[in-house]
Amino acid sequence: TVAGRAALQFAQGEGHAECVRALEEHSSTAAEAEGETAVAESAEQAAAAAREAAAAAEAAEARDAAEAALREAVEACERGDADLEALRAAINANTQAADGSEALRAARRLRDELAERKVREARALKRQRQKEEKAAARQAAAVARAAEEADAAARAAE
């Protein structure tokens, strides 16, 4: 600006027709370029939105598939068709895709219940084995005592 006037106003005021024409051409070229830039930016934004929508749809499909796999694994365990290790494998394979879902929480609850049940059963088997070993030891000691008593009675009878 010169004295508060823009270059175009100054050129018009001073009668510089060539400068006025050049400034107007430049202005229209700049406006076209801005319009093309705005169109390009709009197209890029639309493409980015489409990519985001596709990624979201893919993630939703993956989540649905992971949840279905987890529900199937839980049902198989409840029917007795699968065991704790199969459930653990299903959880490990689908944790990331199903993160935070009710299906994942249900699978983890069942996994924890089955693991606890397995520990309790192992402890019960260990206690039973210890009882049997003690009973066998008592029986062997009783047999040994009976043999010693029989030997002592036989020696006393001689």
Side-chain angles (χ1 to χ4, degrees), residues 8 16-29:
L8 180 60
H16 300 293
E18 296 250 346
C19 289
V20 168
R21 189 172 57 252
L23 288 170
E24 286 175 344
E25 285 177 14
H26 175 73
S27 176
S28 66
T29 303

Side-chain angles (χ1 to χ4, degrees), residues 68-83:
L70 289 167
R71 281 192 296 275
E72 176 57 34
V74 167
E75 291 170 5
C77 283
E78 289 172 347
R79 287 190 311 263
D81 296 340
D83 62 356

